[in-house]
Amino acid sequence: MNRAEYLNLLALLLPPVTYVPSGERLQAELNAEALLYSTLDGVIADLVSAIDPESATDMLTDWERVYALTPASIDTLQQRRQNVMAALAETGGLSRQYFINLAAALGYDITIEEPADPLWRWIVNVNGTPEQTYYFRVDESSVGDRLEESGDPDLETLFNRLKPAHTECVFKYLEESET
């Protein structure tokens, strides 16, 4: 509810004979209380939205802290939310299929090769690059976000964060025609 609606409700709570709701001092008190209730509504709405990282705004930094994510300074609110959702979807695993599924969840089509050398290296072949476009939207963007942002989710950072520490990921980007 907005402040005017709270103001009307509070005025209706007054005994009809004892108080005159249009009185200057009473009107000031009702306005102050209505402002407090409407502000409280906004705080509650923010807390409810913080429960789900897809709608979090002020609490998104807490989600990023929990998942040890460091957003780039140029990341939009939508990109930051997508990174948190990808981290939330991570169930863990070291298998080749786990990393293929993780990349697919971000829109990538990849294959993984493990050369027969003793260097503990694996090659991630990225077939095409899913170009994602983020448009500025009310309730999905924040002040300072660009009206349109194109880019890829940061697959390399994600894989390097999740891979076994003793291995090396080498990324090979292939054009659509090479697949």
Side-chain angles (χ1 to χ4, degrees):
M1 287 211 263
N2 63 33
R3 189 177 69 153
E5 292 170 320
Y6 276 118
L7 181 64
N8 290 335
L9 284 176
L10 290 169
L12 291 173
L13 291 174
L14 297 171
V17 178
T18 313
Y19 295 98
V20 178
S22 60
E24 183 181 333
R25 290 184 179 165
L26 186 57
Q27 193 66 32
E29 179 64 29
L30 291 175
N31 268 317
E33 289 179 15
L35 179 61
L36 177 69
Y37 283 125
S38 64
T39 302
L40 186 60
D41 262 355
V43 169
I44 290 170
D46 287 344
L47 288 174
V48 168
S49 75
I51 293 171
D52 181 7
E54 284 188 309
S55 61
T57 52
D58 295 335
M59 302 297 285
L60 187 60
T61 54
D62 286 335
W63 281 101
E64 290 167 334
R65 178 186 49 78
V66 167
Y67 286 100
L69 299 173
T70 305
S73 61
I74 60 170
D75 283 354
T76 65
L77 180 62
Q78 293 173 61
Q79 289 170 315
R80 291 174 56 205
R81 285 177 177 164
Q82 182 181 17
N83 290 338
V84 169
M85 290 306 295
L88 186 61
E90 296 168 6
T91 57
L94 298 176
S95 71
R96 182 184 299 188
Q97 193 58 49
Y98 167 73
F99 283 95
I100 291 171
N101 292 344
L102 187 60
L106 292 173
Y108 287 94
D109 175 29
I110 69 165
T111 58
I112 297 177
E113 298 174 33
E114 295 180 66
D117 60 25
L119 299 177
W120 302 101
R121 178 180 298 148
W122 38 301
I123 300 170
V124 179
N125 297 306
V126 182
N127 302 313
T129 335
E131 187 69 20
Q132 296 199 10
T133 304
Y134 300 93
Y135 297 102
F136 188 93
R137 290 190 175 96
V138 174
D139 291 333
E140 290 185 22
S141 302
S142 63
V143 175
D145 283 356
R146 291 170 293 287
L147 296 178
E148 181 179 335
E149 175 69 23
S150 296
D152 302 328
D154 200 355
L155 184 68
E156 292 185 30
T157 301
L158 180 64
F159 272 41
N160 283 318
R161 186 167 55 86
L162 296 175
K163 71 175 182 59
H166 66 283
T167 64
E168 177 189 7
C169 281
V170 176
F171 288 84
K172 186 175 167 187
Y173 291 89
L174 308 171
E175 295 297 322
E176 290 291 333
S177 60
E178 294 181 50
T179 59

Short mmCIF file of all heavy atoms in Angstrom, two decimals, residues 19 23 69 82 94 98 108 142 154 161 166 173:
data_model
loop_
_atom_site.label_atom_id
_atom_site.label_comp_id
_atom_site.label_asym_id
_atom_site.label_seq_id
_atom_site.Cartn_x
_atom_site.Cartn_y
_atom_site.Cartn_z
N TYR A 19 -12.29 12.90 17.50
CA TYR A 19 -11.21 13.51 16.73
C TYR A 19 -11.72 14.02 15.39
O TYR A 19 -12.59 13.42 14.77
CB TYR A 19 -10.10 12.49 16.45
CG TYR A 19 -9.39 12.01 17.70
CD1 TYR A 19 -9.74 10.82 18.29
CD2 TYR A 19 -8.36 12.76 18.24
CE1 TYR A 19 -9.07 10.38 19.43
CE2 TYR A 19 -7.69 12.33 19.37
CZ TYR A 19 -8.05 11.14 19.96
OH TYR A 19 -7.39 10.71 21.08
N GLY A 23 -7.68 17.93 11.36
CA GLY A 23 -6.95 18.84 12.24
C GLY A 23 -5.47 18.85 11.89
O GLY A 23 -4.88 17.83 11.51
N LEU A 69 31.61 -15.27 -5.00
CA LEU A 69 31.61 -14.67 -6.34
C LEU A 69 32.06 -13.22 -6.23
O LEU A 69 31.65 -12.51 -5.33
CB LEU A 69 30.20 -14.71 -6.95
CG LEU A 69 29.58 -16.09 -7.14
CD1 LEU A 69 28.13 -15.95 -7.60
CD2 LEU A 69 30.36 -16.88 -8.16
N GLN A 82 22.41 -13.90 -12.66
CA GLN A 82 22.63 -15.13 -13.41
C GLN A 82 23.83 -15.90 -12.84
O GLN A 82 23.79 -17.12 -12.73
CB GLN A 82 22.86 -14.84 -14.89
CG GLN A 82 23.06 -16.10 -15.71
CD GLN A 82 23.29 -15.81 -17.17
OE1 GLN A 82 23.62 -14.69 -17.55
NE2 GLN A 82 23.14 -16.82 -18.00
N LEU A 94 33.18 -33.90 -10.28
CA LEU A 94 34.45 -33.81 -10.99
C LEU A 94 34.40 -34.52 -12.34
O LEU A 94 35.40 -34.59 -13.04
CB LEU A 94 35.57 -34.42 -10.14
CG LEU A 94 35.82 -33.71 -8.81
CD1 LEU A 94 36.89 -34.46 -8.01
CD2 LEU A 94 36.26 -32.28 -9.04
N TYR A 98 29.58 -33.67 -15.67
CA TYR A 98 29.17 -32.58 -14.77
C TYR A 98 29.52 -31.23 -15.39
O TYR A 98 28.70 -30.31 -15.42
CB TYR A 98 29.86 -32.72 -13.40
CG TYR A 98 29.73 -31.48 -12.55
CD1 TYR A 98 28.51 -31.14 -11.96
CD2 TYR A 98 30.80 -30.62 -12.37
CE1 TYR A 98 28.37 -29.99 -11.21
CE2 TYR A 98 30.67 -29.47 -11.61
CZ TYR A 98 29.46 -29.16 -11.03
OH TYR A 98 29.34 -28.02 -10.29
N TYR A 108 26.05 -22.96 -23.23
CA TYR A 108 27.19 -23.36 -24.03
C TYR A 108 27.05 -24.81 -24.49
O TYR A 108 26.55 -25.66 -23.76
CB TYR A 108 28.50 -23.27 -23.22
CG TYR A 108 28.97 -21.87 -22.98
CD1 TYR A 108 28.63 -21.20 -21.81
CD2 TYR A 108 29.76 -21.22 -23.91
CE1 TYR A 108 29.09 -19.92 -21.58
CE2 TYR A 108 30.22 -19.94 -23.68
CZ TYR A 108 29.88 -19.30 -22.52
OH TYR A 108 30.32 -18.03 -22.29
N SER A 142 19.42 -2.10 -12.22
CA SER A 142 19.60 -1.07 -11.20
C SER A 142 20.14 0.20 -11.83
O SER A 142 20.60 0.20 -12.98
CB SER A 142 20.53 -1.58 -10.10
OG SER A 142 21.81 -1.83 -10.62
N ASP A 154 30.72 -15.92 -17.83
CA ASP A 154 32.15 -16.15 -17.71
C ASP A 154 32.44 -17.62 -17.45
O ASP A 154 32.67 -18.03 -16.31
CB ASP A 154 32.72 -15.26 -16.62
CG ASP A 154 34.21 -15.09 -16.76
OD1 ASP A 154 34.82 -15.72 -17.63
OD2 ASP A 154 34.77 -14.33 -15.97
N ARG A 161 37.30 -22.06 -11.22
CA ARG A 161 36.95 -22.06 -9.80
C ARG A 161 36.56 -23.45 -9.33
O ARG A 161 36.83 -23.84 -8.20
CB ARG A 161 35.81 -21.07 -9.55
CG ARG A 161 35.47 -20.89 -8.09
CD ARG A 161 34.56 -19.70 -7.85
NE ARG A 161 33.34 -19.69 -8.60
CZ ARG A 161 32.22 -20.29 -8.20
NH1 ARG A 161 32.18 -20.95 -7.09
NH2 ARG A 161 31.13 -20.22 -8.94
N HIS A 166 44.76 -29.43 -9.10
CA HIS A 166 45.99 -29.89 -9.75
C HIS A 166 45.87 -29.96 -11.27
O HIS A 166 46.79 -30.40 -11.94
CB HIS A 166 46.38 -31.27 -9.20
CG HIS A 166 45.40 -32.34 -9.56
ND1 HIS A 166 44.19 -32.48 -8.92
CD2 HIS A 166 45.45 -33.31 -10.51
CE1 HIS A 166 43.53 -33.50 -9.46
NE2 HIS A 166 44.27 -34.02 -10.42
N TYR A 173 37.97 -22.03 -28.47
CA TYR A 173 36.69 -21.54 -28.99
C TYR A 173 36.61 -21.83 -30.48
O TYR A 173 37.49 -21.44 -31.24
CB TYR A 173 36.55 -20.04 -28.71
CG TYR A 173 36.37 -19.75 -27.24
CD1 TYR A 173 37.47 -19.54 -26.41
CD2 TYR A 173 35.10 -19.74 -26.68
CE1 TYR A 173 37.31 -19.31 -25.07
CE2 TYR A 173 34.93 -19.52 -25.33
CZ TYR A 173 36.03 -19.31 -24.53
OH TYR A 173 35.85 -19.08 -23.18
#
